[in-house]
Amino acid sequence: RLVKIARPILRTSTLAIHLSKGNERSAFEPNLQAHFYPILATAIKEAALLKAKGGAGAGGKSKPSHSPLLLGLLADELGCAETDILDFDLQLCDTQPSAIGGAANEFIFSGRLDNLCSSYQGLRALVDTLDSLGTDKGVRLVALFDHEEVGSSSSTGAGGPILPNSIARITQGMYGDSPLCADVLPRVYRKSFCVSADMAHAQHPNYPERHDPNLNPSIHSGVVIKHNANQRYATSAVTATLFRECCAKGGVPVQEFAVRSDSGCGSTIGPITASLTGIRTVDIGSPQLSMHSIREIMGTDDAYYGYAAIKACFENFNEIDEGLTVDAGRGLTVDAGPAPSSERKRARGEPEAMGYG
């Protein structure tokens, strides 16, 4: 059963600065074992609540595995007996609702924008393009994974078998027991396109020196294509061009991002997906500030731009891909009908170095 207790019941409390030592004030370095226990209740109130309920709970065990008070809260929320709960996986989350703010109501203040925003954008785009699915030559798929922030190496993470198995089963469902099925699957991977959507870093107005001066996305200026020569992002010249062309047909502005050469770089599940499947992959995202903080910030326009970009990919990818020519000797060209001349010139430029340009 899924359960969410909407009211705040647990809180990890930090030490007041007045009680901290000098070296503790210079850096936030709590001991993760000793200092991160969340507070559920005082011993006095816990004893009173359990007495009122008529026992220690947890099915009469002398030493329950979990807090009887917490078990009681879960049972009340689920509408079951405490003894019906055998075990659980729970996570703490901020209960404060998201808010629209700024002088022009232009910002979204929220926890977990990274990466619930991209998840919503993808799902909304898939739903809103169902009317054109009947004439599409391909299969549209949104994949949402667990454990991205802890490495993705799990049965439900991007490093697990869910995506390859799903694509294989879809292919088998279309071809049945035909001997062609085994031969078709590698072609399916090769002809597919993956948009790895994860939030991007906007230039911070208070820390402009932390950004590359030429590749520093702004809020309200479009969806961001992420580049990294060390393959922390899966974007290539080919996949970036495919994405730009889809966005151009959808009227969606695009920005480019690369981390400073003297700075570390985060990563996404894009390289993992590309490695597992060989699918052409582009890493993109909506720009935001304060990533991974309890309260992140993004622009309201960018929430729309990310949705519109993924929607444009669903609607236009097959047409753009059919007009794409990749030749190591001549460069990369796109023939997909009229589009902004700047995008067309960028795609047709002759390469000046080894690789695709």
Side-chain angles (χ1 to χ4, degrees), residues 25-347:
R25 298 179 187 181
S26 62
F28 182 67
E29 296 178 346
N31 183 288
L32 299 183
Q33 173 65 29
H35 301 152
F36 265 52
Y37 284 104
I39 298 171
L40 177 64
T42 61
I44 294 174
K45 290 295 183 180
E46 180 181 29
L49 286 170
L50 292 177
K51 182 178 180 181
K53 296 184 78 170
K61 294 182 180 178
S62 58
K63 188 177 181 181
S65 301
H66 301 293
S67 162
L69 197 57
L70 180 59
L71 281 172
L73 290 170
L74 291 173
D76 290 343
E77 192 72 26
L78 290 166
C80 68
E82 294 175 24
T83 52
D84 292 334
I85 301 174
L86 302 180
D87 211 338
F88 50 75
D89 287 315
L90 294 177
Q91 295 187 28
L92 304 187
C93 63
D94 185 14
T95 59
Q96 183 177 344
S98 304
I100 302 293
N105 284 325
E106 60 180 299
F107 299 120
I108 300 173
F109 305 124
S110 176
R112 304 181 298 283
L113 288 173
D114 176 39
N115 193 33
L116 292 181
C117 179
S118 301
S119 301
Y120 172 78
Q121 290 167 338
L123 287 172
R124 186 74 259 173
L126 181 65
V127 171
D128 289 350
T129 55
L130 291 178
D131 56 346
S132 63
L133 188 58
T135 58
D136 199 338
K137 298 179 180 179
V139 174
R140 299 173 187 173
L141 173 69
V142 170
L144 308 178
F145 298 101
D146 292 331
H147 308 135
E148 189 267 341
E149 297 294 355
V150 293
S152 296
S153 296
S154 69
S155 61
T156 55
I162 288 181
L163 183 60
N165 285 357
S166 297
I167 295 174
R169 292 179 69 178
I170 291 170
T171 304
Q172 186 177 25
M174 298 177 71
Y175 284 86
D177 296 327
S178 169
L180 289 174
C181 189
D183 182 58
V184 166
L185 186 57
R187 299 185 188 185
V188 168
Y189 285 141
R190 183 63 191 89
K191 291 175 71 66
S192 296
F193 184 53
C194 174
V195 177
S196 171
D198 198 356
M199 299 296 282
H201 297 291
Q203 176 167 305
H204 200 298
N206 298 338
Y207 301 90
E209 72 281 359
R210 301 297 177 90
H211 302 267
D212 186 288
N214 299 309
L215 298 165
N216 47 1
S218 301
I219 288 178
H220 299 317
S221 298
V223 68
V224 178
I225 301 177
K226 307 176 186 179
H227 305 266
N228 186 261
N230 293 321
Q231 298 300 300
R232 301 291 285 173
Y233 303 131
T235 306
S236 68
V238 174
T239 60
T241 298
L242 281 166
F243 184 76
R244 288 191 202 102
E245 292 293 321
C246 288
C247 288
K249 287 188 73 69
V252 182
V254 172
Q255 307 181 79
E256 313 284 336
F257 167 80
V259 74
R260 283 177 57 103
S261 299
D262 58 357
S263 177
C265 181
S267 189
T268 70
I269 64 172
I272 298 174
T273 300
S275 298
L276 281 176
T277 64
I279 292 175
R280 294 168 293 174
T281 303
V282 63
D283 269 297
I284 64 103
S286 298
Q288 71 160 96
L289 299 175
S290 303
M291 186 178 291
H292 292 185
S293 73
I294 196 67
R295 213 73 181 159
E296 300 174 333
I297 308 172
M298 71 177 297
T300 52
D301 291 349
D302 296 310
Y304 171 77
Y305 287 146
Y307 150 80
I310 299 173
K311 183 173 182 284
C313 288
F314 281 140
E315 294 175 330
N316 300 307
F317 166 71
N318 284 317
E319 179 187 352
I320 299 295
D321 192 40
E322 288 175 357
L324 178 73
T325 301
V326 180
D327 187 322
R330 298 179 57 195
L332 183 152
T333 64
V334 178
D335 182 12
S341 59
S342 60
E343 298 296 331
R344 191 70 57 237
K345 291 176 181 178
R346 185 185 296 116

